[in-house]
Amino acid sequence: MGLEGMIEDVIKQCSLPVTIQQWNGKLPMDEVRDVRRIARAITLAENGDDNKAIVAEIKKISGASAYNKSAVLGITGTGGAGKSSVTDEIVRRFLNTYTDKTIAVISVDPSKKKTGGALLGDRIRMNAISSPRAYMRSLATRESDKALSKYVQEAIDICKDAAYDF
């Protein structure tokens, strides 16, 4: 196969269409929300697919109403400013203060001009996200000159539809 053949094979396998698998009714790792479905919905949104059916499914699972009043906080700053550390502390304090609430973190990393890749390493610096009441999803900007992924709003809406409190 050779190195080029292996790389092409990996890329080909990664570009298979995302489908929803049958759900066995049990949430993994004592999660409070079905993070698998939420992750798939965000991936479908990133792929440009119509995710209305998935959002409706998330609403069924979570019991979310059509109008969710989830609070949204945006944090921005230059590289190395401490955004991940501040976010981790906010998540930790939120989970400790509100023991019945859930939190979702959407993290965005800029894609590199040369490679087109993004490090997406925020979760390495965050310890509080290991809670079953916390969900974290990393998004790449996919464009080197952008600060946000164009799918951030859709990811936020999906987390709101899944009834995350913050």
Side-chain angles (χ1 to χ4, degrees):
M1 201 179 231
L3 181 59
E4 282 188 40
M6 287 188 281
I7 292 169
E8 286 182 32
D9 183 54
V10 167
I11 291 172
K12 188 170 126 185
Q13 289 183 36
C14 290
S15 64
L16 294 174
V18 179
T19 58
I20 304 238
Q21 298 173 346
Q22 288 296 323
W23 184 52
N24 64 8
K26 296 179 183 176
L27 296 176
M29 301 181 296
D30 297 322
E31 297 286 338
V32 179
R33 303 281 184 268
D34 189 355
V35 296
R36 297 173 297 181
R37 287 182 187 241
I38 295 164
R40 286 186 192 115
I42 293 172
T43 298
L44 287 169
E46 281 188 297
N47 290 340
D49 295 342
D50 180 16
N51 62 352
K52 289 179 184 172
I54 297 163
V55 170
E57 190 67 25
I58 291 169
K59 285 182 182 179
K60 284 182 209 170
I61 294 167
S62 67
S65 64
Y67 180 71
N68 188 311
K69 297 180 184 178
S70 301
V72 177
L73 170 68
I75 298 173
T76 186
T78 60
K83 299 177 296 292
S84 297
S85 298
V86 167
T87 302
D88 187 52
E89 187 63 19
I90 290 170
V91 170
R92 187 185 68 75
R93 289 183 187 204
F94 180 86
L95 293 172
N96 286 340
T97 303
Y98 306 103
T99 57
D100 61 333
K101 302 287 185 189
T102 56
I103 187 168
V105 177
I106 307 297
S107 175
V108 182
D109 278 353
S111 299
K112 304 291 181 207
K113 286 183 183 181
K114 191 171 186 177
T115 64
L119 182 60
L120 302 175
D122 287 330
R123 66 184 67 238
I124 295 169
R125 292 182 287 283
M126 294 188 201
N127 299 308
I129 60 169
S130 62
S131 168
R133 294 184 293 122
Y135 171 72
M136 181 174 182
R137 174 61 183 256
S138 299
L139 301 174
T141 59
R142 309 264 188 230
E143 299 175 39
S144 60
D145 62 336
K146 302 290 183 203
L148 281 178
S149 165
K150 62 182 178 179
Y151 304 105
V152 169
Q153 187 59 58
E154 289 175 81
I156 291 169
D157 292 342
I158 289 167
C159 290
K160 281 182 163 189
D161 288 337
Y164 278 96
D165 298 298
F166 188 58

